[in-house]
């Protein structure tokens, strides 16, 4: 059995699923899309490990802000982000380290060599 797998992720971002539920999604046209899904769609990320970056919903991170979603970039774990519903997704992506140039193939976001 294999003990390792390759992935195309240049980055992994954790998004609190419970926060997303508490703000009733908060993103997308109707404001009902969860942040993780909205970010994946906005950045045109493929599903699973084939995507240029990973956006993963996780359980409650213990911060539980009143009107925001907690997001943690795995590579910058010392700074956690509180994202307000309906925030601009370009700004959110840049803030959490998922801006498009970081997830593009030229910047290491493509398939492994
Ligand atoms: S509900 Fe998101 S951190 Fe607790």
């Amino acid at each position: 059995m294999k003990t390792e797998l390759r992935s195309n992720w240049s980055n992994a971002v954790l998004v609190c699923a419970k926060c997303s539920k508490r703000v009733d999604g908060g993103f997308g046209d109707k404001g009902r899309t969860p942040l993780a899904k909205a970010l994946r769609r906005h950045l045109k990320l493929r599903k699973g490990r084939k995507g240029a970056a990973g956006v993963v919903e996780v359980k409650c991170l213990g911060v539980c802000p009143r009107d925001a979603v907690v997001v943690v970039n795995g590579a910058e774990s010392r700074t956690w982000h509180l994202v307000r519903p309906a925030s601009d997704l370009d700004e959110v992506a840049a803030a959490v380290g998922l801006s498009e140039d970081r997830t593009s193939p030229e910047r290491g976001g493509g398939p492994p060599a």
Side-chain angles (χ1 to χ4, degrees):
M1 187 184 138
K2 282 186 181 182
T3 56
E4 286 182 355
L5 285 176
R6 276 180 176 272
S7 103
N8 292 344
W9 291 9
S10 61
N11 223 332
V13 164
L14 315 178
V15 180
C16 174
K18 192 173 173 192
C19 284
S20 293
K21 216 171 237 172
R22 283 162 46 123
V23 298
D24 211 8
F27 293 85
D29 291 342
K30 294 179 183 164
R32 308 282 313 240
T33 309
L35 177 59
K37 191 174 187 179
L39 268 176
R40 266 187 239 118
R41 225 182 248 166
H42 185 72
L43 298 171
K44 298 184 179 76
L45 293 173
R46 289 176 66 188
K47 278 192 176 165
R49 63 194 178 98
K50 302 251 167 108
V55 179
V56 184
E57 282 198 326
V58 296
K59 286 184 175 178
C60 174
L61 292 161
V63 181
C64 314
R66 192 171 284 264
D67 190 23
V69 179
V70 178
V71 180
V72 184
N73 183 329
E76 294 159 12
S77 53
R78 288 177 156 271
T79 308
W80 292 19
H81 304 270
L82 305 179
V83 179
R84 294 221 160 244
S87 298
D88 180 76
L89 287 175
D90 280 325
E91 286 173 17
V92 173
V96 303
L98 274 181
S99 54
E100 288 194 43
D101 54 318
R102 284 219 209 167
T103 55
S104 71
E106 297 83 45
R107 295 286 305 265

